[in-house]
Amino acid sequence: MQNEPEEKPEDMNDLRRVSNMINNYSVTCSEKADKRYLFKIKVVWLSIITLFSVLATFVFCVLWTILFKLEDATSTHCGYRTKNYLPTISTAVGNYPVQRFLWTLVIIAHSPVRLIVVGIYYQYYTSIIKPSLHWCVILLRFLTTVEVFSLVVLSIFTSSNNYSIHEKSFMTFICASELNMLISSILLKKGRITITVMTKLEVRSLKYKICFTAFNMISFAIAGYCFLRHNNYCESGVYTLFALFEYLVVLSNMAFHLTAVWDLSSVSLVLDDDLNLSYR
């Protein structure tokens, strides 16, 4: 029998070197995979936490004002001869120190998150809307950004300390939010690329967007009518109806924005090793 050829020392060293390289590469890749990001959160949870923090603050401000400042908060130019039972939003969140501090703090704190979601929505719309309508997508991004900043301004400059700025900011907020809701609903209904197929969550989202948009506009129209009627006739209860429908305008606007949990259900916000913020 022939003896099997012995492995040379050089060959053994080469094999060990290659084996070590493979092992080192595997360990490096594994460690790198574990360090792809420092922070990751679903946009769904980001939207829920952000909007419910605003909702909770809104409810607290209104209830606190009703419990402790109702008579003062519901007094108007009509005097005490007309009985009212609800304060307006501007009064509830802006006329008293505790409520004003909490509301302003939450609105300023939640604004960066809202702007991040605006950027994510911009990418979402450009991927599903016809290229010929991308100017509408740019318009939507502008309107939503204006909506966020005008909300901050009208929260800082309240009706009691600077009525002129507050009034202009409020009108800007209303116009931007109404147009944003209307254009979004129409664009998602009529402007989608033909080859795209809506998921069940997107169908649900669009259905509720249309409902909240219609409800918001009707509520705003009724609130405006009650405001004018109260100013002209000073009837008991009309100011209360104005405040109630004003609440419904704000709540339906929040609900509209909460539909992001269906549109962006698969998107996460990621902070990587290099402190770059992105979404995937």
Side-chain angles (χ1 to χ4, degrees):
M1 295 177 62
Q2 294 182 351
N3 293 330
E4 293 181 359
E6 297 182 359
E7 292 183 350
K8 296 181 181 180
E10 294 83 357
D11 296 336
M12 293 296 293
N13 289 335
D14 290 341
L15 287 173
R16 291 192 189 97
R17 192 178 300 112
V18 172
S19 177
N20 288 335
M21 289 175 61
I22 293 172
N23 290 333
N24 289 336
Y25 178 77
S26 300
V27 171
T28 303
C29 286
S30 177
E31 290 177 353
K32 186 63 179 176
D34 292 337
K35 296 180 180 180
R36 285 180 300 175
Y37 51 81
L38 299 175
F39 175 80
K40 180 180 180 180
I41 185 173
K42 286 279 191 181
V43 171
V44 169
W45 289 111
L46 199 62
S47 300
I48 291 174
I49 293 170
T50 301
L51 286 171
F52 272 91
S53 65
V54 177
L55 175 61
T57 307
F58 169 75
V59 172
F60 169 81
C61 290
V62 171
L63 290 179
W64 194 263
T65 303
I66 291 173
L67 290 173
F68 300 105
K69 298 288 184 179
L70 181 61
E71 188 173 345
D72 178 69
T74 55
S75 63
T76 66
H77 70 283
C78 298
Y80 292 100
R81 69 180 185 273
T82 56
K83 192 68 176 176
N84 299 304
Y85 303 96
L86 291 175
T88 63
I89 295 175
S90 297
T91 302
V93 305
N95 280 21
Y96 307 103
V98 174
Q99 294 94 309
R100 181 168 63 245
F101 172 77
L102 287 175
W103 178 257
T104 306
L105 178 65
V106 170
I107 291 300
I108 292 176
H110 101 296
S111 296
V113 179
R114 284 283 304 276
L115 293 174
I116 289 172
V117 175
V118 169
I120 297 174
Y121 250 121
Y122 176 76
Q123 297 296 327
Y124 170 74
Y125 279 128
T126 53
S127 67
I128 63 171
I129 299 300
K130 298 173 184 177
S132 60
L133 295 175
H134 278 189
W135 65 272
C136 291
V137 177
I138 296 172
L139 177 60
L140 279 179
R141 186 173 189 175
F142 171 75
L143 289 172
T144 313
T145 304
V146 169
E147 180 182 341
V148 173
F149 279 107
S150 59
L151 179 59
V152 172
V153 173
L154 71 88
S155 299
I156 295 173
F157 298 95
T158 64
S159 59
S160 59
N161 62 25
N162 200 318
Y163 183 79
S164 178
I165 295 178
H166 179 83
E167 181 185 34
K168 291 179 176 62
S169 301
F170 174 75
M171 294 307 300
T172 302
F173 170 79
I174 286 295
C175 291
S177 62
E178 296 279 353
L179 286 172
N180 176 36
M181 296 169 72
L182 183 62
I183 295 173
S184 295
S185 300
I186 295 174
L187 204 58
L188 289 172
K189 181 72 175 179
K190 301 292 186 180
R192 295 178 67 96
I193 300 173
T194 308
I195 60 174
T196 61
V197 179
M198 295 179 70
T199 65
K200 289 183 179 180
L201 290 179
E202 287 176 325
V203 171
R204 183 186 304 170
S205 175
L206 179 57
K207 175 183 175 181
Y208 280 100
K209 275 185 173 67
I210 294 171
C211 291
F212 290 139
T213 299
F215 185 83
N216 183 277
M217 291 183 170
I218 293 171
S219 298
F220 179 70
I222 296 174
Y225 169 77
C226 292
F227 179 77
L228 294 174
R229 190 173 182 91
H230 168 76
N231 285 344
N232 291 329
Y233 301 107
C234 287
E235 300 166 301
S236 294
V238 176
Y239 187 78
T240 300
L241 288 175
F242 162 65
L244 175 62
F245 281 98
E246 190 184 30
Y247 298 168
L248 295 178
V249 169
V250 170
L251 293 174
S252 59
N253 179 264
M254 291 184 190
F256 179 91
H257 288 297
L258 193 58
T259 59
V261 302
W262 294 315
D263 294 330
L264 310 176
S265 60
S266 62
V267 182
S268 295
L269 188 68
V270 175
L271 183 67
D272 64 20
D273 293 343
D274 299 322
L275 302 182
N276 294 318
L277 196 63
S278 60
Y279 40 89
R280 58 185 69 173

